[in-house]
Amino acid sequence: TLAGWRGIVRSAGADGRLPPGAGARLKVAASLAGAAIGLALLGLGGALLGAVFAPPAVGLLLRARRARYAARIDAGAAELALALASSLSAGRSVRAALLEADTAVPHPLSTELAKVAAELTLGRTTEDALAALRDRTASDRVDALTGAIELHRRSGADLARLARELADAFRARDAAHADARSATVQARFTALIVGVIPPAAGLLAELAAPGAVSGALLFAPTALLMFVASGLMLLGALLCLRVSRV
C-alpha cells in the first residue's frame, strides 16, 4: 500500500499526471494515517488535527510535484520554440516540425514530444495531439506555443517569427526569475525557519515531557486556541509560498 501511495506521488512529479481518482484516495488515506499518528502522539486532539490537516498537506505535495514537472517542461520551451522556428523557416509544415522536435529539446519535454510524434504517426490530428500535450504538461509556455500554432492555423500568422519571439520572452523570464531567487534566498530561508520552529518546539516538548502538549489539548478552550493557531500558521505558510511564486 505504501509503495502504491509513493508511486502516486512520484507520478505527479515524473510525468505530471495522476491516475483517475488517485488524488482523492491518497487524501483519504492521509487523513486516516494523520488521525492514527495524532492519536498516538497527542490523543484525541492530535487525532483531530491529523485528520484535518493531513489531506490538505497531501494536496499541496501533489500540486507542488505537478508544478515542479511543469517547471521542468518550461525549462525546455525556449529550445522547442527555436526548433519549430528553424523547421518552419526551412519550409517544413507544422506537423513535420513536431515530428522532429523531440530531438532538439531536453528531458522531460523530449519525452512528451515523442508521445506527440507517436500520436501524429498513428493518425491523430495536430490539434488533438497538442491538446493532449497541454493537458499532460500543465505548462503555461506549452500553452503559449500551442496557441501560436492554433493562431497560425486559423489566420496564417508568421509562426516562425512568433516562435522566435516566444523563445526570447521565455529566456528573458528565466533570467528575471533567477535574479529574483538570488535576491530573496535569505528572506525565504528565514521564513522557512520561522515557520518550522513552533511545531518542532511543540513536538520536542511532547517527547521530552509526555502530556505537555497533549494535556493542554484535553482542555477545550486551550485546544480551540491551539487549533486556531495551527490553522493561522498553515495559512501564513501558504501565503508566503504564494508570494514567493509571484
Side-chain angles (χ1 to χ4, degrees):
T1 301
L2 290 175
W5 295 347
R6 187 170 61 251
I8 291 173
V9 175
R10 185 182 294 123
S11 68
D15 58 14
R17 291 179 294 174
L18 290 174
R25 293 196 303 271
L26 188 59
K27 289 180 181 179
V28 172
S31 179
L32 295 175
I37 294 173
L39 181 64
L41 293 177
L42 303 175
L44 292 178
L48 178 61
L49 290 175
V52 170
F53 288 112
V58 169
L60 287 174
L61 174 62
L62 294 177
R63 284 194 294 272
R65 294 280 293 177
R66 185 163 170 79
R68 189 175 302 172
Y69 181 75
R72 292 169 62 199
I73 293 292
D74 285 346
E79 286 81 359
L80 173 58
L82 291 176
L84 291 176
S86 298
S87 294
L88 293 171
S89 297
R92 296 183 179 89
S93 66
V94 172
R95 190 181 185 89
L98 290 172
L99 288 172
E100 301 174 353
D102 62 304
T103 60
V105 298
H107 179 77
L109 184 54
S110 60
T111 303
E112 294 292 350
L113 290 172
K115 296 176 184 177
V116 172
E119 292 172 348
L120 293 175
T121 302
L122 292 173
R124 196 170 190 181
T125 66
T126 303
E127 292 75 18
D128 290 343
L130 291 177
L133 176 65
R134 288 198 303 269
D135 291 339
R136 290 195 303 268
T137 58
S139 165
D140 291 338
R141 297 184 181 183
V142 169
D143 281 345
L145 283 170
T146 55
I149 293 173
E150 182 67 17
L151 178 64
H152 168 74
R153 186 183 69 84
R154 291 185 177 182
S155 62
D158 186 351
L159 182 56
R161 181 176 64 83
L162 183 55
R164 290 192 178 92
E165 291 177 354
L166 286 174
D168 292 339
F170 295 158
R171 288 177 171 173
R173 184 169 183 176
D174 287 338
H177 184 68
D179 290 342
R181 288 189 64 84
S182 62
T184 59
V185 61
Q186 182 177 356
R188 287 185 286 108
F189 180 74
T190 302
L192 175 64
I193 295 299
V194 171
V196 167
I197 286 176
L203 179 61
L204 290 176
E206 182 66 23
L207 293 176
V213 177
S214 58
L217 292 174
L218 297 177
F219 184 54
T222 305
L224 178 61
L225 289 174
M226 293 182 69
F227 182 80
V228 172
S230 299
L232 290 175
M233 288 173 56
L234 178 61
L235 177 61
L238 294 177
L239 291 175
C240 287
L241 290 174
R242 180 176 177 81
V243 169
S244 67
R245 284 199 301 270
V246 173

